[in-house]
Amino acid sequence: VQSSQSTYSTSEVTDSAAGGTALATGNKTSNGTIAMSPDGQTPYKSVLELAAEKGMETGLIATKSITDATPAVFSAHAQARTMETQIAQQQLQKIADGTLDLVFGGGGNYYKAEENNEVFQRAENAGLTYTESWTNAKSASLPLAGLFASQEIDTYDDLTIAEMTDVALNKLSENENGFFLM
């Protein structure tokens, strides 16, 4: 099987939000836009959302904030990549409704922002385990948000993306329908 994809934005030089949107949704957008049309009016469905509709487990891993552009385009829709508290809110809502099962990375400050208290509580009521401890995350069941830094993870002294990926694959692969992991 062979395929190709063009990830340039509607601008001359692409940023990670527009490039990620092309990867996650198959649609072009303007720089700074998270999985939406260039005018910010129409959300584009992501491959993560499609996988969840098919009953697959879904997850995101990042060494930066889990609300940063690349993970955000798979799990949220925003007019600007800087809307990280709102992106966290959408991710928490997806956890609450069963669309998103696992997040590992940084960005805990966005999940714990005061304006996200209500949706955070809904996610916890839906079974979310939220932890800032890697030891706890390794033994926790899904749905799981392991956010190990307020912003990005120090991968020189802390855990690596390989460690997070290994644990995530073990947890997500238990679903007989399969899984999607970014």
Side-chain angles (χ1 to χ4, degrees):
V1 174
Q2 182 178 354
S3 68
S4 64
Q5 184 173 19
S6 168
T7 59
Y8 60 85
S9 70
T10 59
S11 303
E12 198 168 301
V13 178
T14 304
D15 77 343
S16 58
T21 294
L23 289 171
T25 72
N27 294 288
K28 301 239 180 261
T29 194
S30 54
N31 287 346
T33 304
I34 301 294
M36 294 187 77
S37 60
D39 64 5
Q41 299 301 307
T42 306
Y44 294 148
K45 190 173 283 193
S46 75
V47 66
L48 181 143
E49 293 165 326
L50 292 169
E53 287 176 6
K54 297 211 174 276
M56 296 177 173
E57 300 286 353
T58 63
L60 302 169
I61 300 174
T63 55
K64 290 191 73 167
S65 172
I66 204 69
T67 58
D68 196 41
T70 301
V73 298
F74 287 90
S75 58
H77 308 279
Q79 293 177 342
R81 63 183 294 160
T82 57
M83 300 170 70
E84 291 187 71
T85 301
Q86 295 88 339
I87 290 166
Q89 186 175 85
Q90 291 180 49
Q91 291 172 341
L92 283 163
Q93 183 56 51
K94 280 185 170 38
I95 292 169
D97 70 21
T99 303
L100 181 58
D101 303 294
L102 179 141
V103 294
F104 282 163
N109 58 326
Y110 298 113
Y111 272 56
K112 300 297 269 179
E114 186 176 334
E115 52 266 59
N116 286 341
N117 286 346
E118 184 179 320
V119 71
F120 191 95
Q121 187 61 53
R122 281 199 306 271
E124 283 188 321
N125 291 344
L128 170 66
T129 299
Y130 175 87
T131 184
E132 296 173 2
S133 160
W134 177 239
T135 301
N136 292 345
K138 290 189 292 186
S139 61
S141 59
L142 300 177
L144 171 60
L147 299 179
F148 312 113
S150 61
Q151 290 289 327
E152 68 263 356
I153 296 172
D154 179 357
T155 56
Y156 292 107
D157 295 326
D158 294 332
L159 72 145
T160 67
I161 195 139
E163 291 171 299
M164 291 186 286
T165 301
D166 185 50
V167 170
L169 289 173
N170 285 329
K171 291 181 182 300
L172 296 172
S173 66
E174 293 179 11
N175 184 326
E176 62 187 37
N177 293 323
F179 65 90
F180 171 85
L181 177 64
M182 188 290 315

